[in-house]
């Protein structure tokens, strides 16, 4: 084989060296491109992460709008009081900021009036010492990297219930770019607890009047506690506030407890009591103490509401004695019948009157006694002339009133009338009958 000339071999070496260097340069460029791509991706991820962090760390009470080289934002600096109170004034301070590199012109700030907030006026250094009563107004120019403080005054509707409400601010610049910001405002009303629908009901007694009790009897005081305020109440207690001298005696636990009572809601409750048997017949008042607080314990309730009750008593009319004069009635001759009526009940009897029904004869058959207090008695006198002989049946009807209304009681009576020609034996028989009737009534009423 022919030898390759020396100079040719040198050229081949150089060519191979160039190719090797070329390959190395290509590989190095590829590596550089890879490094560049990776650096760009890392930088992009860094910017994205920085943007996300910025978004998450941005104050939720602020918002911005960008127009050209202006950069407008709104920030809430004060809410007073916080929470707001129904029926009271509310101050909201906001800052309008231009953090851009150019002045902002013709910036219009507006406030939407949303229930339960009623706009009153606003103040700012823009007005000097004056006020603005318009809900939309204009800031002619805001320097770059400056802010304007605005104070808004509202009235909170007195009927507003507790909850979170929103006020909406709108910002617009001369280019028409605008944004709105809703600011959450917490309103917390105060509870107001009252007792409603109170009843006084005697225990195991059908014929009774609501609101009336009798000495010596048990009864229920039933009522409901209502939150008539505009805020929720917690730890509600209703308790009997009786002193040791009261004739009213609790028969159960004297405290009722409710953990929560929201605005407008109510809870039923009852107490079982006894009125002492020696209690005077007069009106009484049962004091109920109510304590509670609002949810933040910043408002306390501690008051007493009294429940009035009537103490009543029943009257009861009985015949305590019966007497004829003369002792044996005679047909055709005038006779007087005296019935002594006694009030054996515990209450006062009023307008007491009596009459005889079914009488055979002529004369007065009615008597008016008037008022009979407890254990009092009075006579009812009837003067008449019998028109018939033999056994006579009549009915005594007594009418009266007491604390529970009108009453009627009746009693059947039997007596004998003799004839004018009768001898001693009939007279004796008549006397015996009269004495028997008297003995019967005396024994019935416990007089014998």
């Amino acid at each position: 084989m022919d030898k390759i000339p020396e100079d040719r071999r040198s050229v081949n070496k150089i060519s191979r060296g160039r190719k090797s260097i070329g390959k190395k340069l290509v590989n190095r460029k590829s590596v550089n491109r890879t490094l560049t791509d990776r650096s760009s991706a890392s930088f992009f991820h860094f910017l994205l992460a920085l943007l996300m962090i910025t978004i998450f760390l941005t104050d939720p009470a602020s918002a911005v709008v960008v127009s050209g080289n202006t950069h407008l934002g709104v920030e809430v600096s004060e809410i007073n009081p916080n929470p707001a109170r129904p029926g009271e004034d509310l101050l909201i301070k906001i800052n309008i900021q231009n953090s851009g590199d150019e002045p902002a012109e013709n910036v219009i700030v507006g406030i939407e009036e949303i229930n339960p907030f009623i706009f009153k006026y606003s103040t700012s250094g823009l007005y000097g010492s004056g006020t603005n009563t318009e809900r939309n107004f204009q800031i002619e120019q805001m320097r770059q990297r400056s802010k304007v403080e605005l104070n808004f005054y509202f009235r909170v509707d007195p009927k507003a219930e507790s909850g979170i409400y929103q006020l909406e601010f709108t910002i617009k610049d001369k280019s028409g770019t605008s944004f709105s910001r809703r600011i959450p405002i917490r309103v917390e009303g105060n509870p107001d607890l009252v007792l409603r629908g109170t009843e006084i009901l005697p225990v195991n007694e059908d014929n009774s009047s609501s609101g009336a009790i009798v000495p010596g009897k048990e009864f229920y005081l039933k009522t409901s506690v209502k939150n008539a305020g505009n805020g929720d109440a917690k730890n509600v207690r209703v308790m009997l506030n009786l002193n040791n001298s009261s004739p009213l005696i609790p028969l159960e636990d004297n405290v009722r407890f409710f953990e929560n009572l929201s605005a407008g809601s109510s809870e039923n409750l009852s107490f079982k009591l006894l009125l002492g048997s020696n209690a005077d017949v007069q009106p009484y008042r049962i004091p109920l103490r109510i304590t509670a607080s609002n949810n933040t314990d910043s408002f306390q309730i501690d008051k007493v509401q009294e429940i009035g009750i009537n103490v009543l008593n029943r009257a009861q009319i009985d015949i305590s004695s019966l007497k004829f004069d003369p002792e044996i009635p005679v047909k055709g001759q005038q006779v007087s019948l005296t019935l002594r009526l006694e009030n054996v009940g515990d209450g006062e009897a009023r307008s007491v009157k009596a009459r005889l029904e079914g009488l055979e004869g002529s004369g007065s058959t009615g008597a008016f006694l008037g008022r009979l207090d407890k254990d009092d008695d009075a006579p009812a006198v009837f003067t008449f002339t019998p028109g018939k002989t033999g056994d006579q049946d009549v009915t005594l009807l007594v009418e009266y009133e007491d604390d529970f209304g009108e009453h009627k009681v009746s009693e059947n009576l039997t007596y004998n009338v003799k004839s004018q020609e009768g001898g001693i034996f009939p007279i004796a028989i008549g006397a015996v009958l009269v004495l028997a009737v008297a003995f019967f009534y005396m024994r019935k009423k416990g007089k014998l």
Side-chain angles (χ1 to χ4, degrees):
M1 177 178 281
D2 294 334
K3 292 184 179 180
I4 300 174
E6 188 67 26
D7 55 343
R8 190 173 178 180
R9 287 198 297 269
S10 299
V11 170
N12 290 336
K13 288 181 180 179
I14 293 171
S15 177
R16 286 196 300 271
R18 287 178 178 174
K19 289 181 180 179
S20 175
I21 293 171
K23 288 181 180 179
K24 290 180 179 179
L25 290 175
V26 169
N27 292 336
R28 192 171 293 174
K29 288 181 182 179
S30 176
V31 169
N32 289 339
R33 282 198 300 270
T34 302
L35 293 175
T36 301
D37 291 342
R38 289 179 179 176
S39 299
S40 299
S42 299
F43 183 72
F44 174 77
H45 291 158
F46 171 77
L47 289 179
L48 181 61
L50 182 62
L51 178 60
M52 294 296 291
I53 293 173
T54 303
I55 292 174
F56 283 116
L57 294 181
T58 301
D59 186 354
S62 63
V64 296
V65 61
V66 178
S67 177
N69 289 325
T70 63
H71 190 170
L72 295 179
V74 58
E75 181 183 61
V76 179
S77 62
E78 182 179 349
I79 298 175
N80 188 23
N82 190 12
R85 300 290 183 186
E88 298 182 6
D89 287 344
L90 171 66
L91 167 63
I92 299 179
K93 290 185 177 182
I94 66 170
N95 290 321
I96 308 298
Q97 297 177 324
N98 179 13
S99 58
D101 296 327
E102 292 183 1
E105 297 180 351
N106 298 326
V107 177
I108 299 175
V109 181
I111 178 68
E112 295 296 328
E113 190 173 81
I114 301 177
N115 184 65
F117 306 109
I118 304 167
F119 175 74
K120 295 178 66 177
Y121 60 90
S122 62
T123 61
S124 173
L126 297 174
Y127 321 129
S129 60
T131 60
N132 176 40
T133 58
E134 299 295 329
R135 288 190 286 114
N136 294 284
F137 54 92
Q138 181 175 346
I139 303 174
E140 293 183 358
Q141 187 179 64
M142 289 184 62
R143 298 191 308 274
Q144 59 271 31
R145 304 192 182 282
S146 66
K147 67 179 179 180
V148 174
E149 184 180 79
L150 302 173
N151 303 325
F152 293 90
Y153 293 85
F154 299 87
R155 181 75 170 171
V156 184
D157 190 334
K159 298 180 180 179
E161 295 186 0
S162 296
I164 296 178
Y165 301 85
Q166 293 185 336
L167 279 172
E168 184 174 8
F169 290 89
T170 59
I171 309 295
K172 181 186 296 185
D173 67 2
K174 68 175 183 178
S175 67
T177 303
S178 65
F179 72 96
S180 62
R181 177 63 185 172
R182 290 201 167 200
I183 300 172
I185 307 292
R186 177 169 179 78
V187 175
E188 184 174 303
N190 290 327
D192 182 18
L193 302 182
V194 294
L195 300 178
R196 299 280 178 85
T198 303
E199 289 184 302
I200 303 295
L201 301 173
V203 177
N204 299 326
E205 200 166 317
D206 297 332
N207 186 19
S208 60
S209 301
S210 178
I213 56 177
V214 175
K217 298 293 184 179
E218 299 176 0
F219 66 96
Y220 290 107
L221 188 162
K222 295 188 176 182
T223 186
S224 64
V225 55
K226 180 177 182 178
N227 185 353
N230 45 25
D232 297 342
K234 70 175 184 178
N235 298 330
V236 178
R237 288 180 174 84
V238 182
M239 62 201 83
L240 293 170
N241 199 29
L242 300 171
N243 54 45
N244 293 332
S245 62
S246 174
L248 296 161
I249 304 168
L251 300 178
E252 298 175 341
D253 184 11
N254 65 343
V255 179
R256 299 292 181 269
F257 175 79
F258 306 99
E259 186 174 355
N260 291 289
L261 195 60
S262 58
S265 64
S266 60
E267 290 284 352
N268 296 326
L269 54 97
S270 68
F271 299 95
K272 188 177 182 180
L273 301 99
L274 168 69
L275 178 63
S277 58
N278 296 325
D280 293 333
V281 180
Q282 65 181 34
Y284 287 90
R285 304 191 74 82
I286 303 177
L288 292 175
R289 183 183 176 190
I290 307 169
T291 62
S293 69
N294 61 1
N295 287 332
T296 60
D297 293 322
S298 60
F299 180 81
Q300 303 291 327
I301 292 177
D302 190 344
K303 65 179 182 179
V304 174
Q305 186 170 337
E306 293 184 331
I307 305 300
I309 61 172
N310 292 323
V311 176
L312 307 180
N313 254 325
R314 296 183 184 278
Q316 182 179 340
I317 303 298
D318 276 354
I319 301 173
S320 62
S321 66
L322 178 152
K323 181 180 179 182
F324 280 100
D325 185 19
E327 292 183 354
I328 299 180
V330 178
K331 177 182 176 182
Q333 295 182 4
Q334 191 177 67
V335 64
S336 293
L337 172 61
T338 302
L339 296 173
R340 184 158 290 274
L341 303 180
E342 181 181 7
N343 181 5
V344 297
D346 294 320
E348 173 190 84
R350 299 178 294 273
S351 301
V352 182
K353 53 188 175 182
R355 70 175 183 270
L356 294 175
E357 293 185 343
L359 180 67
E360 295 285 346
S362 59
S364 63
T365 57
F368 183 78
L369 285 74
R371 170 179 166 178
L372 287 178
D373 292 328
K374 178 181 178 181
D375 297 328
D376 281 354
D377 62 6
V381 180
F382 307 94
T383 302
F384 59 94
T385 301
K388 188 177 178 182
T389 61
D391 291 340
Q392 307 293 314
D393 294 323
V394 296
T395 301
L396 173 67
L397 183 64
V398 180
E399 298 177 273
Y400 63 94
E401 298 176 6
D402 64 7
D403 293 339
F404 289 88
E406 298 181 352
H407 305 276
K408 292 182 179 181
V409 294
S410 61
E411 192 77 38
N412 294 324
L413 304 177
T414 300
Y415 63 95
N416 184 267
V417 177
K418 72 178 184 67
S419 64
Q420 293 182 0
E421 300 80 19
I424 296 177
F425 182 74
I427 294 175
I429 294 298
V432 170
L433 289 174
V434 171
L435 290 175
V437 171
F439 177 80
F440 169 76
Y441 282 104
M442 294 288 284
R443 184 174 182 180
K444 178 181 178 183
K445 305 308 175 185
K447 302 297 182 178
L448 293 177

